[in-house]
Amino acid sequence: MIDSYKHQGLRRQLVQLLKEKGIRDQRVLDAIGKIPRHYFMDSQFDKFAYQDMAFKIDAGQTISQPYTVARQTELLELEKGMKVLEIGTGSGYQTCVLLELGAKVFTIERQKILYEKAKLLLAKMNYQPKFFYGDGYAGLPAFAPFDRILVTCGAPHIPEKLIEQLKPGGIMVIPVGEGDTQVMKVIRKSLQGVLKIEDQGVFRFVPMLKNKSGM
Ligand code: SAH
């Protein structure tokens, strides 16, 4: 794994572009400026790593577009030390952004190959989230409640179990919609347990899929 001056230069340009597109949280911009996104893609696709686009990884899935990663992270209003549940580890890139912001991350992936690959890569990069191979619709009741929940695949509806696992005072960011595009929902649970839901624009994600048999 080589992070050349060329990669670093392209990464600085990507950060500049994300600023122009409206990302304001400096911690998010710093994380994107620091993490070599090309490590998360096959080396032959190196040159695409710092373009603001999603890209195919294994199992028919994608590494999310950098703008989407930045915007979702910004919407989480993360503070250091918070417990975050991430649904859809994928390449593990978003996981690293959350870790750079000081979160304790619990991440779930339903594709075995992606779970295995992300585990290996992040260990090499010295990032230490808790990895789970399983179904995001179920969340992680044994580790609940979570200060923040981030869903990185398009959900047909808001999963009830995830709402239950959100701490009072917590925030969940989830793209909801069954077609090609989803509406980004920011769900706030008050200390009394009342939900307030806000829409934050239209995005495009791979679908959040139901149980695989045997899970
Ligand atoms: N944050 C990732 C995005 C990956 S795409 C990245 O930046 O690379 C979304 C991921 O959600 C895919 O890897 C997909 O396999 C996973 N996924 C879809 N449905 C799921 C479910 N029910 N539970 C857990 N993961 C799921």
Side-chain angles (χ1 to χ4, degrees), residues 83 139-144 146 165:
K83 244 170 90 181
L140 290 173
F143 297 90
F146 296 95
Q165 291 170 34

Side-chain angles (χ1 to χ4, degrees), residues 18-37:
L18 295 179
K19 261 191 203 166
E20 285 161 17
K21 288 188 172 181
I23 301 300
R24 290 283 165 266
D25 190 331
Q26 191 57 45
R27 300 170 309 160
V28 174
L29 294 167
D30 289 346
I32 288 179
K34 177 169 174 193
I35 304 166
R37 187 169 182 261

Side-chain angles (χ1 to χ4, degrees), residues 172-184:
M172 168 151 110
V173 174
I174 176 170
V176 180
E178 290 199 86
D180 276 355
T181 59
Q182 294 81 31
V183 175
M184 193 67 76

Side-chain angles (χ1 to χ4, degrees), residues 40 57-59 61-65 69 72 86-95 108-111 114 134-137 152-154 205-211:
F40 298 80
I57 50 174
D58 287 312
Q61 304 304 317
T62 55
I63 175 170
S64 299
Q65 183 182 342
V69 171
Q72 283 200 292
E86 179 191 27
I87 310 296
T89 315
S91 67
Y93 178 72
Q94 167 80 72
T95 316
I108 313 180
E109 173 57 54
R110 75 186 280 286
Q111 300 282 356
L114 297 177
D135 175 26
Y137 281 96
T152 74
C153 36
F205 284 86
V206 294
M208 182 171 182
L209 298 171
K210 292 284 180 197
N211 266 354

